[in-house]
Structure formats: C-alpha cells, structure tokens
C-alpha cells in the first residue's frame, strides 16, 4: 500500500490540488456574494504584494522625481546665474547709455544755442601724466576742426585746439599754465587774463587792486583774445590774494570738471559778433 | 530550505508582476512571471514540487488579478504537472528546449482557461493569436534569462 502511494504520489497530489482548485472555483461561482474564510485568506494573499508594489513604485517615483527635480534645479540655477550676469552687463550698458544720452542731449542743446557751426567730439585721451592740461579729441581736420578753435561744454569753456590732425585733435585746456583766456567778472565787468594753474584750476591776473571782486563771482570770456567768443562761463572766484605791485590775483575754480570730461563741442568758425547771453 | 526559497521566489515574482502591471502595463502584457516560475520548478524539481508551486502561484495570481479564485491555481497546477512530467522524461537543460517548454506553457495557459470556461458554461475572450505568440516569445526570452540568473545563484 505504501509502495503504491509512493509510486502514485504525483497523480494523487495532482488530483488533490486540482480538486481543491475546482472546489474553490465552484464555490465562488455558486455563491458570488459570500466568501468562506479560506477564500478570504487566499484572496488576501495578493494584497501585501499590491501594497508593496504601490509603496515601491511611489518610492522609486518620488526618488526619481526628486533626482530629476534636483538636476533641473541645478540646471536652472546655472541658467539663472548666466542670465543674471548677462542682465547685469546689460543694466551696466544701459546705465552708461542713459548717462551718455543725457550728456549728449545737453551738448545738443548747447549746439543749438551757439551762433557758430560746431562739431561734437569725444575725449579719447588725456595727458600722459594723467592731468587734463591737454586732451585728445576724436575729431580733426576732416570735420573742419582747425587750430585755435574753441572747445566748450554745457558747463563752460574747456580750451582751444592746438593741433588738428585728420581724424583727431589736441586741446589745450584752460588748466594749462601756458594757456591764456581773456575774461571778465560777470557782475562788475572787471577784466583780466585767465591763465592755467595746473590741477588747482586757474587764476586771473592783471587785475587792479581796487577792482570790485568777491568770492563767488562768475567769470566769463570777454572775447578780447579773438579766440573764445564772449560770454562763455570759465568758472567762479574761489579766493582773492595779493599780487605784484598794485594788482591782486584771483583764484578761479573752473566750472568744467576736467577729470570727468567725455563729450565736448568744438566751435568751428565764428559768424558775426561773438556775443552770448551770459548764463 | 527549498520551501523557503520557493516562497521567496513566489513573493518576488508576485511583487515584480504587480509592479510591471501597475507601472509598465505594456511590458506586463508580454510576460507572465508566474508561468515562468512554475516552468522553472517543473524543469528543476520533482513534479510534486512543480505542482505545489503551480497551485501557490496560481492562487496568488488569482488574488492579484481578481479572477475566479482557483482558475489560475488549476491552470498552473496542470502546467506544473505537465512540465514536471516532461522534465522527468527528457533532458531539457538546453536553451532551445527550455524556450520551447516556456512558449508551450504560455500558450497552454489560455487554452486551459478556455477549456475550463467552456466546462463551467462561462464566456471566455480568447486573447488572439498574435498577442498569444508575443506573450509566448516574451515569456521564452525572459524565462531563459531567469534560468541563467538562477543557475548563478548560490
């Protein structure tokens, strides 16, 4: 009997298992609404796997999305940094352009107001020592610039052309000790010669000791030197000192800021009497 | 020890099948990991172990799929028995015969279900020849891979 069982064991097992499965199927079909404890147990077999699958899927999905998100953030961060750099450069350029526009507008207004032909020019170089006694402009003989043409800004007189090449020219500013401009005190019409005093500014010489001059008086060109038209601002009286003999020396602070000189106007030729309404 | 390994393998197959059907349903259509498990046990273990694995795998599949309880258990038990019997009669340790057995078992699965459905007077939608062939091919390839991996496990 035992031998028979061993020999027929697979068939018996097959029979038992198939019957078991058939029993499960038939009971399920017979009573679709009611489930036995065994059926509940077998049906419950799958739920842990489904839950685990959901949990694993969510974990993998979450990790993947976090990783992708992190990569995206890094990429976006790099892109935004580049954008910030580009925008900073643009903002800088825009600010430069805005300031230049303001200066050029002033220059344009000045150009419209002067009774001479004129050409705007840009300062492209200063003296090798860094001083502003001589500056170089980007306009020259090709644009009609000639020696002794006066150079001005909306603030006042800059100087005169001393060299004019084809495409560039040199300006001797009123700070140069070798320069001389005929000027007068706007308030009292006292005249004198304004010479450069280096980076300190200018001084007015040959002024009578009795002349009525006060600190703060505005000094303008008188036009007597036949170079600078009359009435353009040179500067303001900063101090008054004793001169040789019966004269006094008047220290003048120029209105033009020569350290920040960028755009100027070259007056090409004079037409009619060089008169200008004093500011 | 073999029982524990069998249970672990069955759990892993159930988990993998659940993951596939949930996140890669296209891939799940081309493979039936439970059939692969049963065929593996049928070719490497005695028929009784293959049948036991078939019943277990089928019931777990029933609980996962939500089909009539016992349907897959019946089919897989039958597959386990047939493969186990064939495996004990022939040397099926080469890739091509194993592929053939995997393919045949996969094709047999819906045929058995069709037979059972007819016997019980229930309607059955046959999956179609092409999807069945694709599934057999997918199971064959994946089964061979499973055999290769399993042979390298300690």
């Amino acid at each position: 009997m035992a031998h028979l069982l061993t020999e027929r064991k697979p068939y018996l097992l097959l029979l038992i298992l198939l019957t078991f499965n058939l029993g499960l199927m038939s009971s399920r079909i017979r009573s679709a609404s009611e489930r036995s404890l065994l059926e509940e147990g077998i049906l419950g077999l799958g739920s842990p796997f489904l839950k685990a699958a959901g949990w694993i899927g969510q974990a993998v999905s979450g990790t993947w999305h976090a990783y992708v998100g992190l990569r995206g953030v890094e990429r976006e961060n790099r892109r935004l940094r580049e954008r910030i750099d580009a925008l900073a450069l643009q903002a800088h350029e825009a600010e430069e352009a805005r300031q230049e526009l303001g200066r050029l507008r002033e220059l344009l207004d000045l150009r419209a107001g002067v009774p001479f032909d004129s050409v705007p020019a840009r300062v492209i170089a200063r003296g090798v020592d860094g001083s502003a006694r001589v500056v170089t402009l980007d306009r020259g003989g090709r644009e009609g610039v000639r020696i002794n043409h006066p150079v001005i800004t909306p603030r006042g007189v800059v100087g005169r052309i001393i060299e004019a090449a084809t495409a560039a020219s040199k300006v001797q500013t009123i700070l140069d000790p070798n320069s001389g401009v005929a000027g007068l005190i706007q308030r009292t019409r006292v005249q004198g010669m304004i010479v450069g005093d280096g980076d300190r500014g200018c001084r007015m010489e040959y002024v009578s000791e009795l002349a009525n001059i006060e600190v703060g008086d505005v000094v303008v060109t008188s036009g007597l030197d036949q170079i600078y038209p009359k009435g353009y601002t040179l500067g303001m009286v900063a101090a008054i000192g004793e001169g040789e003999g019966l004269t006094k020396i008047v220290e003048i602070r120029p209105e033009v800021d020569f350290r920040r000189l960028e755009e100027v106007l070259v007056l090409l030729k004079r037409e009619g009497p060089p008169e200008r309404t004093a500011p | 020890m073999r029982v524990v390994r069998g249970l672990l393998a069955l759990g892993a197959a159930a988990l993998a099948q659940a993951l596939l059907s949930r996140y890669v349903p296209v891939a799940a259509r081309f493979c039936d990991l439970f059939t692969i498990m049963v065929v593996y046990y049928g070719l490497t273990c005695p028929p009784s172990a293959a049948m036991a694995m078939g019943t277990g795998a089928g019931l777990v599949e029933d609980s996962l799929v939500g089909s009539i309880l016992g349907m897959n258990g019946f089919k897989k038990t039958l597959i386990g028995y047939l493969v186990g019997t064939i495996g004990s009669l022939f040397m099926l340790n080469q890739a091509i015969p194993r592929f053939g057995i995997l393919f045949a078992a996969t094709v047999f699965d819906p045929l058995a279900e069709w037979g059972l459905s007819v016997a019980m007077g229930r309607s059955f939608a046959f999956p179609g020849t092409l999807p069945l062939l694709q599934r057999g091919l997918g199971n064959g390839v994946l089964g061979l891979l499973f055999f290769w991996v399993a042979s390298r496990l300690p």
Side-chain angles (χ1 to χ4, degrees):
Chain A
M1 184 65 185
H3 173 70
L4 192 70
L5 273 176
T6 311
E7 200 176 67
R8 293 176 182 258
K9 188 182 169 189
Y11 302 108
L12 278 174
L13 187 62
L14 176 66
L15 199 64
I16 291 166
L17 290 174
L18 290 182
T19 309
F20 172 71
N21 282 302
L22 275 174
L24 282 175
M25 275 190 283
S26 59
S27 72
R28 191 79 208 100
I29 291 167
R30 200 170 52 246
S31 56
S33 57
E34 292 174 14
R35 282 177 181 164
S36 68
L37 202 62
L38 179 66
E39 287 173 331
E40 288 289 348
I42 292 170
L43 285 173
L45 280 174
S47 62
F49 298 111
L50 291 173
K51 282 180 185 170
W55 181 81
I56 290 171
Q58 279 180 356
V60 170
S61 171
T63 309
W64 175 253
H65 281 113
Y67 170 71
V68 169
L70 214 59
R71 278 180 64 86
V73 165
E74 187 199 349
R75 200 163 42 241
E76 189 180 14
N77 196 12
R78 200 180 321 122
R79 193 176 56 77
L80 287 174
R81 280 180 191 281
E82 288 171 2
R83 184 83 180 129
I84 286 171
D85 289 345
L87 285 174
L89 188 65
Q90 277 182 19
H92 176 72
E93 287 172 355
E95 176 61 20
E96 276 294 307
R98 191 185 67 79
Q99 289 189 9
E100 187 178 10
L101 184 68
R103 292 194 304 270
L104 291 175
R105 272 188 182 152
E106 285 182 10
L107 212 59
L108 205 62
D109 291 344
L110 176 68
R111 192 182 184 190
V114 295
F116 313 103
D117 286 341
S118 58
V119 59
R122 203 180 294 269
V123 175
I124 55 173
R126 294 173 189 278
V128 288
D129 57 351
S131 69
R133 293 176 192 178
V134 177
V135 294
T136 308
L137 305 181
D138 65 344
R139 300 298 170 102
R142 196 170 50 200
E143 287 83 16
V145 176
R146 299 284 182 270
I147 291 173
N148 280 338
H149 278 168
V151 180
I152 61 171
T153 71
R155 305 281 295 178
V157 176
V158 172
R160 67 186 177 96
I161 301 292
I162 55 171
E163 283 180 39
T166 309
S169 54
K170 282 190 176 176
V171 179
Q172 181 188 51
T173 68
I174 58 172
L175 300 181
D176 193 303
N178 297 313
S179 74
V181 184
L184 57 83
I185 303 293
Q186 191 180 48
R187 182 175 60 84
T188 58
R189 317 309 286 177
V190 173
Q191 298 190 2
M193 179 61 70
I194 287 104
V195 293
D197 199 10
D199 291 334
R200 286 189 297 274
C202 310
R203 65 179 188 274
M204 194 175 193
E205 294 180 344
Y206 310 118
V207 179
S208 167
E209 192 182 27
L210 302 172
N212 179 12
I213 300 174
E214 292 176 2
V215 172
D217 278 346
V218 175
V219 183
V220 297
T221 52
S222 67
L224 294 178
D225 51 22
Q226 301 295 311
I227 293 174
Y228 297 98
K230 188 178 180 181
Y232 286 90
T233 307
L234 284 164
M236 195 175 282
V237 175
I240 301 165
E242 295 285 327
E244 291 178 5
L246 298 174
T247 62
K248 55 183 170 187
I249 294 175
V250 180
E251 290 182 20
I252 297 167
R253 192 183 70 238
E255 280 293 301
V256 175
D257 187 351
F258 287 93
R259 288 169 300 181
R260 297 179 185 174
L261 198 59
E262 289 182 73
E263 291 92 15
V264 296
L265 199 63
V266 182
L267 306 183
L268 296 182
K269 58 181 181 180
R270 292 194 272 175
E271 293 174 352
E275 198 71 37
R276 184 176 191 255
T277 308
Chain B
M1 187 60 191
R2 289 185 71 174
V3 175
V4 174
R5 285 184 72 164
L7 289 174
L8 284 176
L10 182 57
L15 190 63
Q17 191 73 41
L19 278 169
L20 273 179
S21 57
R22 183 163 180 168
Y23 295 104
V24 201
V26 178
R29 278 206 298 273
F30 295 111
C31 63
D32 177 4
L33 298 178
F34 295 110
T35 301
I36 292 172
M37 287 292 302
V38 175
V39 170
Y40 175 79
Y41 267 79
L43 293 181
T44 57
C45 300
S48 54
M51 284 186 285
M53 175 56 81
T55 301
L59 291 177
V60 171
E61 190 177 359
D62 280 330
S63 66
L64 282 176
V65 175
S67 59
I68 298 169
L69 192 60
M71 176 71 83
N72 280 301
F74 189 93
K75 288 188 301 181
K76 295 291 194 285
T77 305
L78 214 53
I79 289 171
Y81 170 73
L82 291 172
V83 173
T85 306
I86 293 170
S88 63
L89 292 175
F90 304 101
M91 286 287 287
L92 297 171
N93 53 5
Q94 296 298 311
I96 293 175
R98 281 177 176 174
F99 180 86
I101 291 289
L102 284 160
F103 187 87
T106 308
V107 173
F108 178 77
D109 191 275
L111 288 175
E113 188 169 351
W114 173 71
L116 276 172
S117 299
V118 169
M120 288 188 297
R122 291 171 60 86
S123 59
F124 173 70
F126 199 75
T129 310
L130 187 64
L132 191 61
L133 292 176
Q134 287 173 337
R135 195 180 174 92
L137 203 66
N139 256 4
V141 173
L142 204 64
L144 288 180
L145 191 69
F146 183 81
F147 274 96
W148 183 78
V149 172
S151 66
R152 272 150 185 80
L153 289 177

